[in-house]
Amino acid sequence: MNHPFKPLVAFALLAAVLPVACERGFGDAAEPQLVVEGWIDSGRFPVVVLSRTVPITDDYQPTGQLADCVERWARVAVSDGEREVVLVGMADESHFPPYVYTTSDLRGEPGRTYRLTVDCPDGTHAEAVATIPEPAAIDSFAVVQADGADTLRQLYAYVAGARAAGCYYRVFTQVLGSRYGYLPSYLGLATGDMLPAGGRMPVNRGRTNLESDYTPYFSVGDTVMVKVARIDSAAYSFWRGYEDMIELSRNPLFPVTNNLHSNVSGALGYWFGYGSAFGSVIVRP
């Protein structure tokens, strides 16, 4: 059986997966594999997180030991076709695992293609290529009171030109003051032909399985940062599988047994270019 790799965006799934391993006869663990999680936004710097898959065994594995799965000593480089920049590894508590490779010497540009290469001390080599699509601008936001909730609000973003055929979008959100940076918005995935007139997209709070009291809505007083990323078909396939994994992982009758879609050669994971538009809104009464 192929065990799904645990991407950074799905870090909370580990809390659900690991205890289950104590109750099922998984037998010997598979050899850990390298997981690459990387992206480069238009106008921003590349970010790469490296880890190893968590072996599913009969032995209990507390989530506190997941830091041991972080790959901290790799050579990570990004090339734009004209020059190569080596990324620097550093601690970053806004991500999980809390260690990233990045640089301030290279910004993403729409239309350009970026090659990522990763070389680990054990000889593992991985690479991937991604092109940044042209971003679609956020025109405005709308805040609507959630049904039956006085202090909760549903947020919508209106994106210019979002209904164009062949366009794919991923929404990310971050609440100012929260522990983590941008999280994938719950059900924040769309194609241009799915959207209503005006390019209205629902913007939901990022979801993690560690939150027992999760709500997709925002609270009055929240300052919400929103990233609407235009993505390619490979990224859409990954995020579509991710959404399915989030739902199915909660249902014991439909175990997740397949890896997520990957565009990385030599490892699991992804390297995506995001044509990103950023905005923020204060959720007022």
Side-chain angles (χ1 to χ4, degrees):
M1 180 176 71
N2 292 327
H3 298 304
F5 71 87
K6 281 68 176 181
L8 175 147
V9 293
F11 70 90
L13 296 178
L14 293 168
V17 173
L18 295 182
V20 173
C22 302
E23 303 173 8
R24 301 180 181 177
F26 284 106
D28 295 334
E31 188 70 21
Q33 293 178 271
L34 178 67
V35 178
V36 177
E37 305 167 73
W39 63 93
I40 180 168
D41 289 297
S42 52
R44 300 203 174 187
F45 308 126
V47 177
V48 177
V49 179
L50 301 179
S51 59
R52 299 282 176 168
T53 53
V54 178
I56 300 178
T57 71
D58 291 327
D59 298 325
Y60 177 70
Q61 302 172 70
T63 55
Q65 294 182 2
L66 296 180
D68 296 338
C69 298
V70 178
E71 183 63 67
R72 293 182 172 86
W73 303 107
R75 182 186 187 275
V76 182
V78 176
S79 171
D80 63 2
E82 297 180 358
R83 65 190 183 105
E84 181 183 73
V85 177
V86 177
L87 278 54
V88 177
M90 63 183 67
D92 187 337
E93 295 294 334
S94 68
H95 292 82
F96 185 93
Y99 193 87
V100 304
Y101 293 84
T102 188
T103 180
S104 59
D105 193 31
L106 182 69
R107 289 183 184 270
E109 297 181 26
R112 298 204 70 161
T113 298
Y114 297 88
R115 177 176 294 277
L116 171 73
T117 57
V118 177
D119 290 283
C120 299
D122 67 354
T124 301
H125 173 80
E127 59 183 75
V129 175
T131 301
I132 299 180
E134 288 291 334
I138 300 174
D139 281 342
S140 60
F141 293 103
V143 180
V144 179
Q145 182 172 338
D147 292 339
D150 292 339
T151 62
L152 296 179
R153 299 291 186 270
Q154 171 68 65
L155 181 62
Y156 295 94
Y158 290 84
V159 179
R163 298 187 71 202
C167 290
Y168 304 92
Y169 300 94
R170 190 38 161 143
V171 179
F172 300 81
T173 62
Q174 177 185 4
V175 177
L176 186 65
S178 60
R179 176 181 178 182
Y180 295 107
Y182 283 99
L183 293 174
S185 173
Y186 177 55
L187 300 180
L189 189 67
T191 61
D193 55 6
M194 291 171 51
L195 298 173
R200 188 182 77 169
M201 296 184 185
V203 177
N204 297 317
R205 184 184 294 270
R207 177 178 182 174
T208 72
N209 281 14
L210 296 180
E211 297 178 77
S212 58
D213 57 348
Y214 171 79
T215 173
Y217 306 120
F218 297 96
S219 300
V220 170
D222 282 346
T223 298
V224 184
M225 280 80 77
V226 179
K227 178 173 79 171
V228 177
R230 187 175 170 191
I231 59 179
D232 61 16
S233 58
Y236 181 84
S237 295
F238 172 87
W239 287 114
R240 178 74 275 157
Y242 167 79
E243 294 277 6
D244 293 341
M245 176 181 281
I246 285 288
E247 293 302 319
L248 293 177
S249 68
R250 294 169 176 268
N251 189 334
L253 299 179
F254 298 96
V256 179
T257 61
N258 296 319
N259 287 329
L260 294 176
H261 175 83
S262 174
N263 69 337
V264 179
S265 173
L268 301 173
Y270 62 87
W271 166 246
F272 294 146
Y274 292 148
S276 298
F278 295 87
S280 64
V281 57
I282 299 175
V283 180
R284 302 190 184 281

